[in-house]
Amino acid sequence: QVQLVESGGGLVQAGGSLRLSCAASGRTVSTYGMGWFRQAPGNEREFVASITWSLGITSYTDSVKGRFTISRDNAKNTVYLQMNSLKPEDTAVYYCAARKPGAALYNYWGQGTQVTVSS
């Protein structure tokens, strides 16, 4: 079993930055794919970014490319999401997720952290 705990959310003005952290515990996630998702009020949860643990290959949704950066620290079992040039439309609850090797879907989810960007 894997537990994921997000932190780093908050209120920021448009154009500002935040760094989200996702700490994994319970077992090592060194072979797991990790991702960030977000859900705004009234919307479905959407993919934001992902990273593979072994090679660090990253992927982003188009709306955050060039502004957000996902990274990981294997030694700390932690994944980060650096968010720059934030926009009001980035306001959402952000969730961290872990995917077992070979799995098509994410198996574990965190509780979420609120990010609010004011205009």
Side-chain angles (χ1 to χ4, degrees):
Q1 192 73 4
V2 173
Q3 292 81 43
L4 303 173
V5 178
E6 303 98 334
S7 61
L11 173 64
V12 64
Q13 290 188 334
S17 299
L18 284 174
R19 188 177 81 154
L20 305 183
S21 299
C22 173
S25 62
R27 62 179 300 169
T28 181
V29 292
S30 60
T31 60
Y32 285 39
M34 301 295 294
W36 287 97
F37 292 75
R38 66 186 180 186
Q39 186 169 19
N43 292 353
E44 293 187 353
R45 189 173 299 186
E46 66 171 351
F47 168 79
V48 176
S50 64
I51 187 168
T52 63
W53 280 94
S54 57
L55 298 178
I57 298 172
T58 59
S59 180
Y60 300 91
T61 190
D62 286 345
S63 62
V64 308
K65 285 180 180 177
R67 300 189 299 122
F68 291 11
T69 303
I70 187 171
S71 62
R72 85 277 192 253
D73 185 331
N74 289 351
K76 294 183 178 180
N77 235 18
T78 300
V79 178
Y80 305 96
L81 185 68
Q82 177 66 44
M83 306 186 294
N84 299 328
S85 301
L86 282 161
K87 304 175 181 180
E89 51 264 42
D90 294 318
T91 295
V93 177
Y94 283 71
Y95 298 89
C96 174
R99 183 174 60 191
K100 293 180 179 179
L105 301 177
Y106 284 85
N107 308 95
Y108 304 102
W109 294 84
Q111 83 288 349
T113 185
Q114 176 70 47
V115 171
T116 303
V117 184
S118 63
S119 58

